Amino acid sequence: MEISELIMLVACAVLLIPSIASVTRFDKWWIRAFDFPRIQISILSSVVLVIAIFVFDFSEVIHFIAIGLLILSLFYQLDKIYPYTWFAKKEVMQFEDGDPTDNISILVSNVLTPNKDYHKLLEIVNRRQPDILLTLESDNKWEEALKDLEKDYQYCVKVPQDNLYGMHLYSKLKLEETEVRYLVKEDIPSIHGFVRLDDNSKIRIHCMHPRPPSPSEAQTSTNRDAELLMLGRDVRKQDESVLVFGDLNDVAWSRTTRLFQQMSGLMDPRIGRGFFNTFHADYLFFRWPLDHVFHSNDFTLIDIAREKHIGSDHFPMYIKLNFERKAELEQNKPEAEDEEKEWAQNKIDDAKPRENGV
């Protein structure tokens, strides 16, 4: 066997690892990390597949096996990201019925605590004029830098922290019954409450930023998964108009996030419209969607966009929705199977959450 063939066999074997790891239910950080770069893995697999076809002479069975397994792995990766391409069916309807009269716009921005480019975020806020601004990783310095916003954003919930989990919620619309909760870890806050739209409709909101699985943060994904799945379980029970937004430290196509959607019945406006990769802002080839806005099926989409670089490792995410009850009749809620619900409950039990429900 020639050295070039041996190199390609090794490359094929290496590219099988992410798919094999992804189909397991192990929650070690290095295994769950393979959920993130599916776009990059698909590109690399495609390149290696083309090269391997030219390098192999197919005189040995191992050549056919390597090509076959790599094709299966590539199809597996593409199947996960396909819903977030323009070729897939849109999950959320586009608003097309005249002028939106009952809309809400949200800007989510993980600002990165050491980042001092406060003016860049303020420029986006001034241009977009969102009804709600959620900042993540914001500390006391960020709170002071954004203080002028309070002239227009009279309703605020401030949780400044210097552990990369600070959170600030600013709203032009009236906030009610807001509370800061620490669902799984005592230093990881989340904000919950209601917002009143202009027509007095009452929408429940949940602002989240769970801890990611990584060697420096958490050795497993259990706590992150539990925080999302516990929220999903309880949102379904409440059966209300709901918005969930924040940096979930999980990609849109992971098993946990998809199960969160199925358990909660919430919808993802990115499906059928694009990836909207928000992290990492500094590295073009290493980006995936970590910042999310999910909503109940009584909203339609007016606009969605990834905003420009603000000096953080995340791009801000902007979305504008229209609240319309009739949309419930045309947009079906995602549903979870019983087996998946059981797996989710086991995750929640393993994490030993600090509170029952949200």
Side-chain angles (χ1 to χ4, degrees), residues 108-112 134 136-137 209 247 291 310 312-314:
V108 178
S109 182
N110 183 319
V111 298
L112 185 64
L134 175 67
L136 306 158
E137 293 198 23
H209 187 202
D247 172 6
D291 299 272
I310 63 164
S312 172
D313 51 357
H314 288 245

Side-chain angles (χ1 to χ4, degrees), residues 305-321:
R306 187 187 73 183
E307 294 296 335
K308 65 180 183 179
H309 204 319
I310 63 164
S312 172
D313 51 357
H314 288 245
F315 293 102
M317 189 73 180
Y318 173 82
I319 189 169
K320 188 173 184 179
L321 302 165

Side-chain angles (χ1 to χ4, degrees), residues 164-231:
L164 303 181
Y165 290 96
M167 183 179 291
H168 289 72
L169 180 65
Y170 300 89
S171 179
K172 294 180 179 179
L173 301 171
K174 185 178 182 182
L175 298 177
E176 298 178 356
E177 302 176 44
T178 55
E179 58 178 330
V180 178
R181 309 188 77 174
Y182 300 83
L183 299 176
V184 175
K185 302 291 290 184
E186 62 183 7
D187 59 346
I188 309 293
S190 55
I191 298 174
H192 310 268
F194 293 91
V195 60
R196 287 279 184 183
L197 302 186
D198 288 338
D199 75 339
N200 208 37
S201 298
K202 190 175 183 180
I203 311 297
R204 185 180 288 273
I205 60 172
H206 302 281
C207 307
M208 310 292 291
H209 187 202
R211 188 190 301 271
S214 74
S216 61
E217 294 279 356
Q219 292 299 310
T220 71
S221 67
T222 297
N223 284 342
R224 180 206 62 188
D225 296 346
E227 189 166 347
L228 296 179
L229 296 173
M230 181 167 57
L231 175 63

Side-chain angles (χ1 to χ4, degrees), residues 114-267:
N115 177 23
K116 299 299 188 291
D117 292 335
Y118 311 117
H119 66 284
K120 292 183 178 180
L121 177 60
L122 290 170
E123 287 173 2
I124 296 175
V125 173
N126 291 331
R127 174 170 52 85
R128 283 292 192 177
Q129 290 295 313
D131 297 310
I132 291 178
L133 167 66
L134 175 67
T135 64
L136 306 158
E137 293 198 23
S138 41
D139 58 3
N140 284 305
K141 292 180 180 178
W142 268 96
E143 182 177 311
E144 183 63 28
L146 300 179
K147 195 171 184 62
D148 285 348
L149 289 178
E150 296 178 32
K151 299 173 184 176
D152 296 321
Y153 294 82
Q154 300 180 23
Y155 304 96
C156 306
V157 181
K158 304 173 184 178
V159 195
Q161 294 186 178
D162 56 8
N163 65 345
L164 303 181
Y165 290 96
M167 183 179 291
H168 289 72
L169 180 65
Y170 300 89
S171 179
K172 294 180 179 179
L173 301 171
K174 185 178 182 182
L175 298 177
E176 298 178 356
E177 302 176 44
T178 55
E179 58 178 330
V180 178
R181 309 188 77 174
Y182 300 83
L183 299 176
V184 175
K185 302 291 290 184
E186 62 183 7
D187 59 346
I188 309 293
S190 55
I191 298 174
H192 310 268
F194 293 91
V195 60
R196 287 279 184 183
L197 302 186
D198 288 338
D199 75 339
N200 208 37
S201 298
K202 190 175 183 180
I203 311 297
R204 185 180 288 273
I205 60 172
H206 302 281
C207 307
M208 310 292 291
H209 187 202
R211 188 190 301 271
S214 74
S216 61
E217 294 279 356
Q219 292 299 310
T220 71
S221 67
T222 297
N223 284 342
R224 180 206 62 188
D225 296 346
E227 189 166 347
L228 296 179
L229 296 173
M230 181 167 57
L231 175 63
R233 177 197 62 189
D234 294 340
V235 163
R236 172 77 74 167
K237 291 178 182 177
Q238 293 159 353
D239 193 27
E240 299 170 307
S241 298
V242 178
L243 292 165
V244 173
F245 47 99
D247 172 6
L248 301 189
N249 274 315
D250 196 18
V251 283
W253 47 71
S254 79
R255 182 184 187 192
T256 300
T257 297
R258 295 297 291 152
L259 182 52
F260 161 76
Q261 263 200 273
Q262 294 164 0
M263 292 186 67
S264 64
L266 300 183
M267 310 188 77

